[in-house]
Amino acid sequence: MVERGKRKYRTGLVVSDKSSKTRLVSVERSYRHALYDRVIRSKRKFAVHDENNESRIGDTVKIMECRPLSKTKRWVMVEVINKAQ
């Protein structure tokens, strides 16, 4: 892919592959609470464009931010890191 400035990359788990060329990827992040100093885990689901339909439920994938492809899709899949059994 051609480099066009700084783009965000995330690693997440595919939770849905029902749509054609679209995957729902759950990305989990952990951070420390500012006041209570407790580690908080939060999840967010992203609609990701998968051009070749190569990922399945349970796969770990790397996604990259891109231009809006539809109403909800703003991410594109870069690679499948780990295949599910």
Side-chain angles (χ1 to χ4, degrees), residues 7-84:
R7 296 200 174 184
K8 294 176 189 164
Y9 289 89
R10 302 281 184 264
T11 303
L13 196 71
V14 177
V15 292
S16 175
D17 63 352
K18 292 182 192 255
S19 303
S20 177
K21 297 189 179 186
T22 303
R23 302 292 181 253
L24 268 181
V25 176
S26 177
V27 175
E28 185 175 300
R29 75 181 196 105
S30 59
Y31 59 95
R32 197 165 286 280
H33 193 279
L35 179 62
Y36 299 116
D37 208 39
R38 181 191 163 134
V39 175
I40 300 170
R41 291 168 53 188
S42 65
K43 289 181 185 175
R44 179 152 180 222
K45 284 194 266 189
F46 295 103
V48 177
H49 184 68
D50 182 8
E51 182 64 37
N52 301 322
N53 289 323
E54 53 194 39
S55 61
R56 295 286 169 248
I57 293 178
D59 292 352
T60 304
V61 294
K62 183 177 182 181
I63 61 175
M64 177 182 71
E65 191 179 39
C66 67
R67 65 181 176 84
L69 299 171
S70 72
K71 182 180 175 182
T72 57
K73 282 202 286 189
R74 273 98 172 107
W75 296 79
V76 64
M77 193 182 75
V78 178
E79 64 175 325
V80 177
I81 296 172
N82 206 354
K83 284 277 191 188

